[in-house]
Amino acid sequence: MERNYVFDDLRTRLRYELAIASGIGRRESQQDAAYLAATDEDVIAVVCDGMGGIEGGQLASTTAVEAFVEHYQVYTQQCSADFCWMQGAAEAVDDIVYGLSDISGKRIGAGTTLLCAAVHDDSLCWLSVGDSRLYILRNDEIAQVTNDHNYFLRLNQQRAEGSISLEKYHQEARSGEALISFIGMGGLALVDLNDEGFQLYPGDVVLLCTDGLYRTVKKDEIKTILRESTTMREASDYLEQLIAHRALAYQDNYTFILIKMK
């Protein structure tokens, strides 16, 4: 399966310009999953990158997306302008993914990153667990607003505090990309959460992506493509073309969602 996402477009006017894309890369299976939905007032976008083997990764990411979106739909029927549901939803989804089992009842030990961005009117909120990333482009600046929850995060903090030598840092850096927080751990170690609302303005672009994009296309290249493209669909096509052109032997699954304010 090359694509594993749902896009529910319920808009009657184009207040938000949207695009979603995914590819299998050079892997045997697609372990990313995503969901994008939009009305005239709201956008909800969820991206997950599964881990745990072909079947385990697919099941973890798909389950996480479906369960998280279900929490969103239930909660926002009560109060669509309130984003305080995110933390509780992530904890519930973590429990669900942690409990995934095979036909014998044995836990499969799968996990997934989870990144959600929700827009209500002009206010953006987000939650991230793992190393999928949220970028915001405004004018000529692009910023990563989520942390990568990997061992590098801990190592860099220790190095800044002076509690680890440079030699030890370089030794440990071999495992730097190993995740230290993800959905399915059975208790979330780290969560990036902004549920107070970040003001968006016309022309701002929000990008959600798995590491299959940002490990292949550099941040400045992403910025240039987003700035110079006339539509988000065009930007999405350019990003996919660049991934294909680079043809990395280890190209991972990639999934990304673009949201542009009109």
Side-chain angles (χ1 to χ4, degrees):
M1 184 192 310
E2 184 168 345
R3 293 180 173 83
N4 188 21
Y5 64 76
V6 174
F7 182 10
D8 289 332
D9 193 351
L10 305 176
R11 295 171 294 170
T12 60
R13 54 191 175 92
L14 298 181
R15 182 175 186 179
Y16 312 105
E17 188 182 347
L18 306 171
I20 183 170
S22 73
I24 196 171
R26 296 292 184 93
R27 301 301 173 90
E28 295 181 4
S29 65
Q30 173 60 280
Q31 298 188 48
D32 289 358
Y35 178 82
L36 174 63
T39 66
D40 290 339
E41 291 79 28
D42 298 278
V43 178
I44 178 74
V46 183
V47 169
C48 290
D49 180 359
M51 307 164 287
I54 294 177
E55 295 183 2
Q58 288 178 339
L59 181 60
S61 62
T62 302
T63 299
V65 168
E66 292 175 351
F68 197 82
V69 170
E70 182 176 332
H71 276 80
Y72 164 78
Q73 292 171 337
V74 169
Y75 192 91
T76 53
Q77 288 175 358
Q78 305 169 18
C79 184
S80 62
D82 190 344
F83 296 102
C84 65
W85 58 273
M86 286 186 173
Q87 178 76 36
E91 292 171 354
V93 174
D94 175 64
D95 288 340
I96 292 170
V97 174
Y98 178 80
L100 291 174
S101 60
D102 59 22
I103 57 174
S104 69
K106 181 181 178 181
R107 284 187 54 248
I108 61 176
T112 181
T113 69
L114 189 151
L115 172 62
C116 171
V119 181
H120 178 73
D121 292 330
D122 299 323
S123 182
L124 167 70
C125 290
W126 64 81
L127 177 144
S128 178
V129 182
D131 65 354
S132 293
R133 291 181 179 177
L134 182 70
Y135 293 96
I136 298 176
L137 173 76
R138 176 170 292 170
N139 299 323
D140 195 39
E141 299 293 330
I142 186 170
Q144 178 187 341
V145 299
T146 54
N147 291 301
D148 297 339
H149 296 153
N150 56 30
Y151 191 37
F152 271 125
L153 185 66
R154 185 174 295 164
L155 286 175
N156 291 336
Q157 182 178 2
Q158 291 174 342
R159 185 63 188 149
E161 295 170 347
S163 60
I164 186 173
S165 68
L166 184 58
E167 180 182 3
K168 182 67 172 177
Y169 177 90
H170 288 307
Q171 291 174 352
E172 294 294 312
R174 298 169 186 171
S175 303
E177 293 180 356
L179 293 184
I180 59 175
S181 186
F182 56 87
I183 296 292
M185 292 183 68
L188 300 179
L190 294 170
V191 177
D192 281 7
L193 175 65
N194 178 354
D195 60 359
E196 296 181 353
F198 176 85
Q199 181 68 42
L200 294 173
Y201 298 98
D204 286 354
V205 179
V206 178
L207 165 65
L208 299 82
C209 64
T210 61
D211 62 352
L213 174 66
Y214 68 75
R215 295 191 192 280
T216 303
V217 185
K218 296 179 181 179
K219 184 171 72 171
D220 285 345
E221 293 175 317
I222 294 174
K223 180 181 76 171
T224 298
I225 289 173
L226 296 183
R227 286 181 60 248
E228 296 183 355
S229 299
T230 56
T231 67
M232 290 299 94
R233 183 72 266 163
E234 181 180 84
S236 174
D237 290 343
Y238 282 151
L239 288 170
E240 288 202 279
Q241 289 167 14
L242 185 53
I243 292 172
H245 175 73
R246 299 223 158 126
L248 300 181
Y250 52 85
Q251 178 63 52
D252 197 359
N253 306 153
Y254 64 86
T255 300
F256 60 88
I257 295 173
L258 294 166
I259 306 168
K260 183 175 183 178
M261 301 298 294
K262 301 292 284 185

